[in-house]
Amino acid sequence: MAITPTSPALSEQAEGGYTGGANLQELAKRHLWMHFTRMGVYEDSEVPIIVRGDGCYVYDEHGKRYLDGLSALYCVNIGHGRAELGQAAARQAEELGFYTNWSYAHPRSIELAARIAELAPGDLNRVFFTSGGSEAVESAWKLAKAYHAAKGEPTRTKLISRKLAYHGTSMGALTATGVPALRTPFEPLTPGGHHVPNTNSYRWSEDREELWAADQIEEAILFEGPGTVAAVILEPVQNSGGCFVPQDGYFQRVREICDRHGVLLISDEVICAWGRLGYWFGCERFDYEPDMITMAKGLTSAYAPLGAVLASDRVAEPFLHGTETFTHGFTFGGHPMACAVALANIDVMEREDLCGHVRANEGRLREMLEGLRDLPIVGDVRGAGYFQAIELVKDRETKETFTHEEAEHLLRGFLSGELYRRGLICRTDDRGDPVVQLSPPLIAGEEQFAEIESILRPVLAEAGERIESWG
């Protein structure tokens, strides 16, 4: 049944909440299919409906306030309620609502591409726009294949990524993703993926070489055959599994390996770019220059859907002459209104020096999280910038983790709901060992850190007591 804009089922905002909240619940349960969601959970409970945002906080349909400790999904970097971004979109709609980047250009895509290239390190000067992160990863792999084919090496088609890494859900990006639970239901996948160990040294043996994980990439290239490998794709800080940071020298070693074997290095920065680690790009944090950077999320602070692949001059060069073409694109890649929003977003970040703000305050955030180590359930604290995780354990001395059933009970049966009930939105995840992830808006400061601790500490303490009661 179609609902017109004047239908009473579509509620208007009111003081303290929404007037038609019950109708929204009915409509959500009848028609909305949420992403990565067990829909059956809401058969007997309310769908959490967020209706408004302001700074580091969001409000549900009942008017209850929540600290958005995850920036929605690692993406509302400048915070909620920035009217100037909506105004930029409105102005652009009046001038040019849409035109394609297929054989044409428009002012905003040109200006944004130039702005991104100006901020980027090294010779990363060519910007290929997409609609989001999975599309950016998909595009980067296709570009790597096309680059090698244009250089006379069409057998270079394979992609190496890390175990537990999440790179997206489209079929090519899913091949790069190293999370079995996400991959298995959709097999057979796009061929050509190979996975290597990640950098979670918390789970390594004490005598393991520090750059062991980097060297495993070379082992994989040699095993597959260097002439068959197109690219290696890595996040500066790996999201899935809980904010795995690289060892000192890791990316320098990977860069050497890729250069030695003629393999392109893709830095997947869908989360890690645009200030999340305290720099415009995550690769700057760890001092390496990739051949491509994938981005989305914070590029517009999620006020509009937009992603991109940023490629080096070397990668772009074969396609700039003669008849060679990168035969790939998306209708809405580089949408004028999304580009206008991105330009306004970058203006805010520069004006308020949000990268500098993250660097100045990440120590305080980390100190607060480190202070939770007195709780027996806290095994490890790790991350960089405003991208941090706590790994939960049954036994801190032995690092014993939880069974699948225990993790289910701990995370979904208690932690996730209790944190939300007390007013904190963060992520509890068990795609690896159970973790709690925090990724607040870049404008967050000591007030928000204290609020996070005031909720997180008692909830984790109660979780620990529940574990003890298991026997």
Side-chain angles (χ1 to χ4, degrees):
M1 177 184 70
I3 300 173
T4 65
T6 56
S7 168
L10 298 180
S11 54
E12 297 179 354
Q13 191 169 356
E15 187 69 28
Y18 262 54
T19 58
N23 285 329
L24 283 177
Q25 285 292 333
E26 293 167 8
L27 291 169
K29 291 184 178 184
R30 178 64 184 89
H31 298 292
L32 183 62
W33 199 331
M34 289 176 284
H35 300 202
F36 282 99
T37 300
R38 293 181 180 178
M39 300 297 290
V41 170
Y42 302 115
E43 289 179 341
D44 301 312
S45 61
E46 282 195 343
V47 174
I49 300 175
I50 302 300
V51 300
R52 184 166 67 87
D54 181 19
C56 292
Y57 300 91
V58 293
Y59 298 78
D60 69 13
E61 60 177 327
H62 305 297
K64 182 177 178 178
R65 189 186 82 163
Y66 301 85
L67 174 56
D68 187 1
L70 202 63
S71 301
L73 198 60
Y74 319 101
C75 53
V76 186
N77 287 11
I78 64 172
H80 299 276
R82 298 280 193 159
E84 60 263 51
L85 270 64
Q87 292 162 1
R91 288 193 300 269
Q92 182 58 44
E94 292 179 353
E95 176 186 314
L96 179 67
F98 176 71
Y99 217 76
T100 178
N101 281 289
W102 295 46
S103 301
Y104 299 89
H106 56 78
R108 299 299 88 78
S109 65
I110 297 168
E111 292 165 359
L112 181 57
R115 193 86 170 269
I116 292 170
E118 180 183 6
L119 294 169
D123 68 342
L124 291 154
N125 289 311
R126 289 282 174 170
V127 181
F128 184 95
F129 287 114
T130 69
S131 304
S134 291
E135 285 184 4
V137 170
E138 200 89 20
S139 300
W141 189 9
K142 289 181 74 173
L143 180 53
K145 291 181 181 181
Y147 166 81
H148 289 298
K151 299 291 285 184
E153 295 186 280
T155 60
R156 286 187 178 269
T157 60
K158 296 175 184 176
L159 185 67
I160 293 173
S161 56
R162 294 185 291 202
K163 294 177 181 178
L164 280 184
Y166 177 85
H167 293 286
T169 54
S170 57
M171 292 304 285
L174 192 56
T175 294
T177 292
V179 184
L182 302 183
R183 294 162 51 86
T184 304
F186 304 103
E187 291 176 343
L189 305 178
T190 303
H194 186 103
H195 295 87
V196 296
N198 56 52
T199 60
N200 183 17
S201 56
Y202 178 68
R203 293 290 173 184
W204 289 3
S205 60
E206 293 183 2
D207 60 348
R208 180 162 285 170
E209 289 287 335
E210 188 174 28
L211 296 182
W212 169 81
D215 291 334
Q216 291 300 300
I217 292 174
E218 185 161 40
E219 289 292 321
I221 292 172
L222 293 171
F223 177 83
E224 295 292 330
T228 71
V229 179
V232 171
I233 184 167
L234 308 169
E235 299 163 277
V237 174
Q238 183 175 314
N239 171 35
S240 185
C243 298
F244 299 154
V245 295
Q247 288 73 38
D248 289 343
Y250 173 87
F251 277 106
Q252 288 69 33
R253 178 70 62 85
V254 172
R255 179 75 270 181
E256 292 170 3
I257 291 167
C258 289
D259 289 343
R260 182 156 55 245
H261 298 290
V263 173
L264 298 180
L265 176 57
I266 303 167
S267 189
D268 183 0
E269 305 199 11
V270 171
I271 290 175
C272 291
W274 305 108
R276 181 56 54 193
L277 304 186
Y279 295 83
W280 291 108
F281 298 98
C283 59
E284 297 176 279
R285 170 86 183 220
F286 300 108
D287 194 27
Y288 68 97
E289 288 188 16
D291 299 295
M292 287 183 261
I293 296 175
T294 56
M295 65 187 76
K297 294 187 184 286
L299 175 56
T300 63
S301 283
Y303 280 65
L306 184 65
V309 177
L310 177 58
S312 69
D313 289 335
R314 176 169 73 98
V315 171
E317 194 277 333
F319 305 98
L320 304 180
H321 313 285
T323 60
E324 197 68 53
T325 303
F326 181 38
T327 52
H328 176 63
F330 301 98
T331 298
F332 298 126
H335 193 291
M337 292 169 64
C339 289
V341 169
L343 288 162
N345 178 62
I346 295 171
D347 286 343
V348 170
M349 291 189 65
E350 288 185 328
R351 183 172 67 246
E352 300 181 11
D353 186 23
L354 291 184
C355 289
H357 179 80
V358 170
R359 293 195 301 272
N361 286 277
E362 68 171 296
R364 298 180 177 90
L365 172 60
R366 185 57 175 264
E367 183 180 9
M368 179 273 289
L369 295 174
E370 292 283 354
L372 298 173
R373 285 184 182 270
D374 64 330
L375 299 172
I377 195 175
V378 174
D380 194 26
V381 178
R382 54 182 178 256
Y386 278 21
F387 190 33
Q388 303 283 339
I390 300 168
E391 182 170 329
L392 308 179
V393 293
K394 284 176 67 175
D395 187 310
R396 190 159 56 192
E397 294 301 317
T398 64
K399 301 182 183 179
E400 182 185 359
T401 191
F402 300 88
T403 66
H404 174 76
E405 292 76 15
E406 290 169 340
E408 178 80 11
H409 176 76
L410 176 67
L411 299 182
R412 295 173 186 84
F414 174 67
L415 274 176
S416 183
E418 186 64 14
L419 290 167
Y420 183 76
R421 188 183 69 78
R422 297 195 189 199
L424 175 62
I425 295 175
C426 56
R427 187 170 200 170
T428 60
D429 193 11
D430 62 350
R431 287 178 290 181
D433 295 302
V435 296
V436 175
Q437 278 186 300
L438 290 155
S439 187
L442 309 188
I443 59 174
E446 290 194 51
E447 178 183 349
Q448 286 73 39
F449 303 158
E451 187 173 348
I452 290 170
E453 182 183 25
S454 72
I455 297 171
L456 197 54
R457 173 174 284 280
V459 174
L460 288 179
E462 184 174 342
E465 293 170 1
R466 288 176 174 237
I467 292 168
E468 290 180 4
S469 73
W470 296 348

